[in-house]
Amino acid sequence: MIDNRILYIFSTILFLIGIFGAITNKNLIKILVSISVVETASNIFLVSIGYIKNSKPPILDANMGKISVSNLNISDPLPHALVLTAIVIGVGTTAVGIGLCIRLFQYYRTLNINRMGDKDEL
Amino acid sequence: MNYNTTVLLIIIPILSSFLVYMPVGLIKKSFKIIFLATILFNLLFSLKIFSVVLKYGNLITIIGNYHPPFGINLVSSFFSILFLIALYIVFLISAIIFIFKNDTKNNQQKISSVLLLYLASFSEIILTGDLFNLFVFFEIFSISNIIIISLKNEKFSLKGSIKYLLISSIGSALLLFAIGYIYAILGTLNLAEIALNFEKISFFSKCFIIFFLMGSILSELEVFPFNLWISDSYAGAKNFVNILLSGISCVVSLYIFIRMFFTIFNYPSISLYSYNFPLDIKLLLLTFFSLSIIVNQLVALTSKNIKRILAFSSAATISTILFALTSGTKSGFSSAILLIISTIISKPLLFLSSHQITKGKMEKNLDSFKNGINRKRYFSILFIVSAIFFTGFPLTPAFFGKLMLFYTYASKLNYYTYFIIVIIFSITVEFFYYFRMIHKLFIKDETERENKNIKNNLSISYFVSGLTMISILIIFFIFPNIYEKVITKMSEEIFNQKEYIQTILKLGEK
C-alpha cells in the first residue's frame, strides 16, 4: 500500500524536475512540457491529499450498504473534483502556449529562445 | 434586493461572452451593443450593490444553498465593491476605445468575447470567499491576459505573451500547491474559516503557505525578477490592452495580496517565529520590494521606448504600494490606497495620451515626443496633467500617499526607517524621467517635414475617454475629502478581521 508521504515526496521531486527543465531548456516546446510536468506534480499532490490509508473509493454501491460509522473510511472526493478542474485549466493553458509557439516559429523560424532576441530590447 | 443577485455580476458577462461570439446574423450585427450593455449593467449593478452595502453592511451570496464554510460564497463588502466600481470604470473606458477603433474590426467579435471573460474573471476574483474558486478565475484571468497581450500578432506582443504564460503557469502551480496544503491541514477552502484557524497551524506550514501564495501572484504584481514579461508585453500590446494591464491586471493582484495578507494571515500580528529559525517576514518583504523599486525605476530611466518607460514606472509604483502595505499599519494602508487611486486613474491616461502623441511615428521612442505640444496639443496637455498627478505634485492623491509613506516609516525610529532612502531615490528618478518626457514635448522636431502626410484626426473615443479620466483627476484634486472618508472606512474593514469572519461564518450557523 502506498503511503501518503511517498506521494508527497514524489510530487515534490516532480515539481523540482519541472522547474529545473523550465529554467535550463532553451526550446520553447520543451519549456512548455516542463511546465506541464510542474502542473502534473501539483495535481498529484492534490490527489494524494484526498487519499486515506486502507480507505475505500467514495462510491456508494450495493456492497457498501447504508452510510454508517463503520463504512466512513472512504477517501475524500473533494480534491479529486478540484484536480479535474485543474487538469482542464492546465490543458487550456498548454494549448494557448503551443498556439503562441507556432506564431513565434513563423516569425523567427526557430523555437530557441536565445535566437529570438531583437537589438532594440530595452 | 435579493442577496443572491450579486452573482449576476459574474453570470451576465460569462453568458454575454458566449453570446457575442455566436455567428448568428442578428448577433453579428449587434454584438457591440451587447458588449457595451454588459459592461454598463455591471457598472450600474455594482453601484446598486454599493448603496445596499452602505445601508446594511456586508452582503453574503450563497451559491447552491450550501451555507459557509461549505460551497462557494461571494462577499460584497465596502472595500471589494468600491474596488470593483473603480475597475469597471477603467474597463468601460478601455472598451470604448476598443469598440470605436478601426484596426481591430476583423476580430472585434472574438476579442469582445475574451474581454467579457476578463470582466467576469476579475469580478469573481474580487468577490469570492472561496480559495479554489479564486484559483479557477485567476487562471481564466491569466489566459484572458495572455490572449489580449498577443492581439497585435507581432514579434513583441507574441514574445511578451509567451513570457507571461510561462511565468503565470508556474505561479498557478504554486497556487495549487498552496491550496492543496491548506486543504490538507485545515480541511476547508473557505477564506473566512482559513482566517479563523490560520494562527493555530505550525510555523513551517505558515511559511509554506505564505511563500507559495506570494509566489503565485508575484508575476501579476510585476515585482522584480518576476516582471520580465512586461518589457515586451506593454511595448507590443495595443493601446486599450496597455490600459487594461496598467489599470486593472496589477490592481486585481494587489487586491488579492491585501485580502490574503490582511484578512487571511492577519499580517500585522502574524507570528512567524520559531526558536530554531526566527523569520522577520517584514524585513524580508521590505528588502524584496525595495530591490524591485530600485530595479524598475532604473530600467524605466534607461529605456528609450515610451511604452517601456511607462510600464516599468507602473511596476515601480506597484512595488511602492506593496512596500507601503508591508508596514502593516493603518497609515501605511492609507498610503497604499492613495497610490492605488493615483495608479488606477493616471496610468491609463498616460498610456492613452502617449499613444496619441506618438501616433504616426515609425519608432515609439523618446524622440517621437518632440514637438508634441504643437502636433497633438490636447493629448500633450493630458499627458502633462496626468504625469503631474502620477509623480505626486502637492495636493494630488499621489502626493498625500507618498507623504503618508514617509510618515509611516519615520514615525518610529528603527532599522526599517533606513528604507526611506529607497523612497527618496524612487521619487527623484521618477521625477527626472517624467520631466524628460514633458521637456521633449516642447522641443522642435527637425525631421517633422518628412512626415507631413500623416493624418491629424482627433479620434472621438480617445477624446471622450481622456476627458472622462482628466475630469476624475480634477475632482480628486479639488475635493480631497472624498477619498479621505473612503480610506478611513476601508482601513477599518481591512484591519477588522474578526468582523469579516463573523459575518460569513455566523450565516453558516443558521
Side-chain angles (χ1 to χ4, degrees):
Chain A
M1 194 64 73
I2 303 169
D3 193 356
N4 279 23
R5 273 171 290 184
I6 295 170
L7 285 171
Y8 295 156
I9 294 164
F10 176 66
S11 61
T12 311
I13 292 168
L14 208 59
F15 178 81
L16 293 173
I17 290 169
I19 294 286
F20 179 77
I23 293 167
T24 54
N25 274 311
K26 302 288 174 217
N27 188 297
L28 264 178
I29 297 288
K30 285 181 184 172
I31 294 172
L32 276 177
V33 172
S34 303
I35 285 171
S36 292
V37 172
V38 173
E39 280 167 0
T40 311
S42 52
N43 290 341
I44 290 171
F45 177 70
L46 213 58
V47 168
S48 62
I49 287 161
Y51 176 72
I52 300 163
K53 208 174 179 182
N54 300 324
S55 63
K56 292 173 192 168
I59 301 163
L60 191 65
D61 57 12
N63 299 329
M64 210 172 190
K66 281 183 182 176
I67 299 171
S68 64
V69 183
S70 60
N71 60 21
L72 262 181
N73 192 19
I74 51 168
S75 61
D76 187 356
L78 185 83
H80 304 168
L82 301 184
V83 162
L84 277 177
T85 319
I87 289 169
V88 172
I89 291 166
V91 170
T93 317
T94 313
V96 173
I98 290 169
L100 288 172
C101 285
I102 292 168
R103 295 295 297 152
L104 277 168
F105 185 78
Q106 285 169 351
Y107 273 113
Y108 292 99
R109 310 307 300 168
T110 180
L111 283 171
N112 190 321
I113 49 168
N114 285 349
R115 290 180 199 159
M116 285 182 188
D118 291 300
K119 281 179 184 173
D120 56 338
E121 277 295 282
L122 284 172
Chain B
M1 196 177 90
N2 185 352
Y3 282 5
N4 287 345
T5 46
T6 314
V7 82
L8 290 176
L9 288 177
I10 297 115
I11 290 174
I12 300 287
I14 290 178
L15 281 176
S16 305
S17 78
F18 291 111
L19 196 66
V20 293
Y21 194 56
M22 279 187 181
V24 185
L26 188 69
I27 291 168
K28 246 183 174 179
K29 283 174 190 167
S30 60
F31 78 93
K32 284 181 185 177
I33 299 165
I34 300 170
F35 177 66
L36 287 175
T38 310
I39 302 165
L40 275 173
F41 167 80
N42 268 35
L43 180 60
L44 296 175
F45 197 61
S46 60
L47 284 169
K48 172 73 186 157
I49 294 170
F50 182 64
S51 67
V52 176
V53 168
L54 277 180
K55 214 172 180 182
Y56 303 106
N58 292 358
L59 275 184
I60 317 291
T61 305
I62 298 158
I63 297 170
N65 207 21
Y66 291 101
H67 284 259
F70 306 105
I72 297 166
N73 58 298
L74 305 178
V75 186
S76 322
S77 63
F78 180 82
F79 182 60
S80 58
I81 285 292
L82 214 58
F83 238 81
L84 214 52
I85 292 168
L87 297 182
Y88 284 155
I89 292 168
V90 178
F91 191 84
L92 183 66
I93 288 164
S94 171
I96 289 168
I97 292 172
F98 156 70
I99 281 291
F100 295 104
K101 224 179 158 192
N102 295 325
D103 62 341
T104 50
K105 259 189 176 165
N106 300 332
N107 296 323
Q108 262 188 347
Q109 211 175 343
K110 293 174 191 169
I111 301 168
S112 51
S113 174
V114 177
L115 285 176
L116 285 171
L117 273 182
Y118 181 87
L119 176 72
S121 60
F122 77 72
S123 306
E124 176 74 25
I125 288 170
I126 286 177
L127 292 174
T128 190
D130 180 80
L131 197 57
F132 193 76
N133 205 235
L134 185 117
F135 164 76
V136 172
F137 280 89
F138 195 61
E139 282 298 290
I140 298 172
F141 186 66
S142 299
I143 293 174
S144 316
N145 263 331
I146 292 160
I147 295 168
I148 59 172
I149 291 169
S150 66
L151 281 181
K152 219 171 183 180
N153 216 351
E154 286 173 0
K155 281 181 186 176
F156 276 136
S157 60
L158 291 169
K159 265 168 70 181
S161 185
I162 195 100
K163 277 180 189 171
Y164 182 83
L165 182 137
L166 298 175
I167 297 173
S168 66
S169 298
I170 293 173
S172 68
L174 291 178
L175 183 59
L176 207 57
F177 258 98
I179 290 170
Y181 200 80
I182 289 171
Y183 186 72
I185 291 174
L186 298 172
T188 181
L189 290 172
N190 185 283
L191 291 178
E193 209 180 9
I194 296 168
L196 183 69
N197 297 314
F198 192 75
E199 198 50 41
K200 294 171 195 163
I201 62 178
S202 71
F203 166 76
F204 172 76
S205 302
K206 274 181 196 168
C207 288
F208 184 91
I209 292 166
I210 287 176
F211 289 123
F212 271 57
L213 280 177
M214 265 296 287
S216 63
I217 53 168
L218 280 178
S219 62
E220 268 83 3
L221 283 171
E222 303 174 354
V223 174
F224 177 79
F226 303 95
N227 62 352
L228 296 171
W229 59 275
I230 65 171
S231 150
D232 291 329
S233 308
Y234 278 87
K238 286 181 180 291
N239 189 239
F240 75 91
V241 178
N242 285 328
I243 294 172
L244 290 178
L245 288 176
S246 63
I248 298 180
S249 295
C250 46
V251 179
V252 169
S253 309
L254 269 175
Y255 177 86
I256 299 173
F257 181 87
I258 294 171
R259 267 281 172 246
M260 289 295 164
F261 264 69
F262 290 89
T263 312
I264 310 302
F265 306 147
N266 199 11
Y267 170 65
S269 55
I270 184 174
S271 57
L272 270 184
Y273 182 80
S274 160
Y275 291 107
N276 305 324
F277 183 61
L279 177 71
D280 188 348
I281 191 166
K282 191 174 176 180
L283 186 65
L284 191 77
L285 290 176
L286 280 179
T287 316
F288 194 50
F289 296 140
S290 302
L291 188 73
S292 180
I293 293 170
I294 294 167
V295 173
N296 284 323
Q297 292 289 22
L298 286 177
V299 176
L301 183 71
T302 51
S303 292
K304 283 171 187 165
N305 185 300
I306 294 289
K307 281 189 178 180
R308 279 198 185 118
I309 296 173
L310 295 177
F312 281 101
S313 158
S314 166
T317 316
I318 297 295
S319 299
T320 314
I321 294 166
L322 290 167
F323 187 87
L325 287 170
T326 311
S327 71
T329 57
K330 278 193 177 179
S331 60
F333 180 78
S334 307
S335 153
I337 295 294
L338 282 165
L339 290 172
I340 290 173
I341 292 170
S342 171
T343 307
I344 289 179
I345 312 163
S346 318
K347 208 76 215 185
L349 191 55
L350 280 169
F351 274 108
L352 184 144
S353 50
S354 65
H355 174 77
Q356 284 295 311
I357 294 166
T358 57
K359 202 175 180 184
K361 296 271 179 181
M362 284 297 284
E363 285 184 8
K364 311 280 183 193
N365 54 20
L366 275 172
D367 286 337
S368 61
F369 256 45
K370 278 183 180 173
N371 202 21
I373 199 78
N374 289 326
R375 281 187 290 116
K376 300 274 170 79
R377 193 175 295 271
Y378 174 70
F379 290 105
S380 297
I381 292 166
L382 284 191
F383 185 87
I384 294 166
V385 175
S386 50
I388 285 170
F389 267 83
F390 189 73
T391 46
F393 253 66
L395 305 180
T396 57
F399 169 76
F400 290 120
K402 283 169 184 171
L403 198 69
M404 285 193 90
L405 191 57
F406 271 107
Y407 170 75
T408 308
Y409 284 99
S411 58
K412 272 186 185 176
L413 282 175
N414 49 26
Y415 58 98
Y416 299 129
T417 315
Y418 291 114
F419 283 98
I420 287 179
I421 299 164
V422 178
I423 304 299
I424 295 168
F425 170 80
S426 165
I427 293 170
T428 317
V429 173
E430 201 174 56
F431 263 108
F432 179 75
Y433 63 75
Y434 271 104
F435 278 89
R436 189 174 59 179
M437 282 194 275
I438 292 171
H439 175 238
K440 289 273 180 193
L441 290 171
F442 295 93
I443 295 176
K444 206 176 179 186
D445 191 5
E446 287 160 6
T447 58
E448 208 165 58
R449 282 180 193 168
E450 299 161 18
N451 303 325
K452 271 199 168 174
N453 299 328
I454 299 163
K455 285 180 186 174
N456 216 345
N457 294 340
L458 183 66
S459 166
I460 294 170
S461 60
Y462 277 94
F463 180 82
V464 173
S465 308
L467 197 68
T468 316
M469 282 198 269
I470 205 81
S471 315
I472 299 169
L473 277 181
I474 291 165
I475 289 168
F476 274 117
F477 181 72
I478 299 170
F479 306 107
N481 56 332
I482 297 175
Y483 51 80
E484 195 189 330
K485 285 173 191 168
V486 168
I487 289 166
T488 316
K489 203 159 186 195
M490 275 183 175
S491 62
E492 269 171 20
E493 184 194 321
I494 289 297
F495 285 92
N496 195 352
Q497 191 205 31
K498 268 186 183 174
E499 199 196 324
Y500 178 84
I501 297 168
Q502 276 174 356
T503 5
I504 298 166
L505 295 183
K506 273 205 171 176
L507 203 77
E509 282 173 12
K510 283 176 189 173

